[in-house]
Amino acid sequence: MLATRIRRWKPVALTTAAVLVGLTAPALTAAPAAATTTSYDSTYYKNAIGKTGTSLKSSLHTIISSQTKISYSAVWNALKVTDQDPNNSNNVILLYSGVSRAKSLSGGDTGDWNREHVWAKSHGDFGEVTGPGSDLHHLRPADVQVNSIRGNKDFDNGGSAVSGGGGSLTDSDSFEPRDADKGDVARMILYMAVRYEGDDGFADLEPNEKVNNGSAPYIGRLSVLKQWNDEDPPSAFEKKRNQVIYDSYQHNRNPFIDHPEWVDAIW
C-alpha cells in the first residue's frame, strides 16, 4: 500500500488559529524539508556531505553522472518494475492520476499508459535519445489522455480539473499534479537540472520562474517546485523506485529523494 503523504501545513487550521487570536493569517508557505541521513552518506554521497549552493550542485552532478544508460525502448519494461503496484504485481501505478493499471496496457490508445517525460522533451530538445530522453529518474507511466493534457506545460498551481487526473489541474500554460505526486514531480525536475549541465552534448537544463518556456532548456516554476518538495516528502513508493533504478538499471540515484533538504540548500 502506498505510503500516506502528510502535508506540512494545514491551511484550515492556520486560518482558524488566526481568527481565534484576532490576527490575519500570514501568506501560506511550506516549512523547509528536514535534514535526513542515509546509509549512502559515507559512500555514494561522501563528496557532497556538508556542502551547499553551487558547490553541492557540482558535487552531486559529478556523483550522479556516473550512470548506466538504457534505451528508450527498454524503458517500457523498466517502468513495469520501477512503478509496479505494491498491491498488485500485474499493474503499475500511474503518475498524476494515481490509477493502478495493467502492465499489459502499455501503448498509445485510450485506456493505455505510456511513457511520460516529466521534464518535457521539448524543454531541452533531447527527444527520446538515450540519455535525458530515456532517464528513468524522470520517466513515469501515465494515462495516455492525461499525459496528452499535460503535454509540455510547465508546472504551477491552479487551473481546472483534469479529466481522469486524480485531482490534477491545468490551464493554458501550466499543469498542477495531484497532491500525492507534487513532491515526486519536483524532485524529478530538480534531479534533471543537476544531472544535465551541458557538459555531455545535451542542453544545460535549469528550472526558472516562468511558464510558457516553450522549447527553451528551462522549466518552471522553481518557487512552486520547492514548495511541493517541502509539502510532499518522499513516500515509501518513491524511495523504493529510487532504489530499484540504482540497483537494477542506471546505478545512479536521485539525491533529492534521499535528501529532500538539498533542494533548499542549492536553490
Side-chain angles (χ1 to χ4, degrees):
M1 186 172 186
L2 292 179
T4 301
R5 307 298 184 90
I6 301 174
R7 295 177 68 88
R8 300 187 175 203
W9 289 88
K10 306 294 186 183
V12 173
L14 284 174
T15 304
T16 302
V19 170
L20 289 175
V21 297
L23 299 174
T24 301
L28 183 64
T29 57
T36 59
T37 57
T38 79
S39 60
Y40 292 96
D41 291 357
S42 61
T43 54
Y44 189 74
Y45 292 124
K46 65 181 181 180
N47 293 329
I49 299 300
K51 297 179 180 179
T52 61
T54 56
S55 179
L56 176 57
K57 186 182 182 190
S58 177
S59 292
L60 291 176
H61 170 68
T62 299
I63 292 167
I64 67 178
S65 292
S66 178
Q67 169 190 356
T68 299
K69 300 179 178 68
I70 70 170
S71 69
Y72 190 55
S73 61
V75 168
W76 283 118
N77 284 331
L79 293 181
K80 294 175 183 178
V81 179
T82 60
D83 291 76
Q84 179 174 291
D85 183 345
N87 297 316
N88 185 343
S89 62
N90 293 316
N91 288 13
V92 291
I93 300 293
L94 305 187
L95 186 68
Y96 305 139
S97 64
V99 169
S100 177
R101 186 164 296 169
K103 293 177 179 178
S104 60
L105 292 175
S106 58
D109 296 328
T110 300
D112 288 344
W113 61 268
N114 59 7
R115 299 161 292 181
E116 156 71 334
H117 290 82
V118 177
W119 189 294
K121 291 180 288 186
S122 63
H123 288 252
D125 194 29
F126 51 71
E128 298 167 358
V129 67
T130 298
S134 63
D135 196 315
L136 289 171
H137 282 299
H138 85 120
L139 280 158
R140 298 286 290 269
D143 175 79
V144 167
Q145 290 180 296
V146 174
N147 192 355
S148 178
I149 291 169
R150 188 266 157 143
N152 68 348
K153 293 176 181 176
D154 295 271
F155 294 104
D156 198 0
N157 291 314
S160 303
V162 173
S163 177
S168 299
L169 306 174
T170 194
D171 57 24
S172 62
D173 55 19
S174 70
F175 190 90
E176 176 184 345
R178 68 188 185 115
D179 287 350
D181 287 333
K182 285 178 176 174
D184 305 55
V185 165
R187 288 179 284 274
M188 286 187 280
I189 290 294
L190 298 175
Y191 161 87
M192 293 292 283
V194 171
R195 170 61 185 86
Y196 299 99
E197 292 279 53
D199 57 359
D200 53 5
F202 301 113
D204 180 3
L205 305 181
E206 293 295 340
N208 64 11
E209 276 302 305
K210 298 179 180 179
V211 292
N212 273 332
N213 273 298
S215 60
Y218 303 104
I219 205 163
R221 302 178 49 177
L222 176 59
S223 61
V224 172
L225 294 171
K226 289 176 63 179
Q227 181 181 6
W228 291 353
N229 173 64
D230 291 334
E231 290 179 339
D232 176 32
S235 68
F237 182 88
E238 192 179 357
K239 291 176 181 179
K240 182 178 180 181
R241 187 178 196 278
N242 195 28
Q243 193 66 42
V244 171
I245 293 172
Y246 177 73
D247 288 338
S248 303
Y249 294 99
Q250 297 182 178
H251 311 297
N252 72 340
R253 303 183 68 82
N254 181 334
F256 303 116
I257 296 174
D258 293 321
H259 285 280
E261 76 277 9
W262 281 349
V263 171
D264 289 311
I266 294 174
W267 288 282

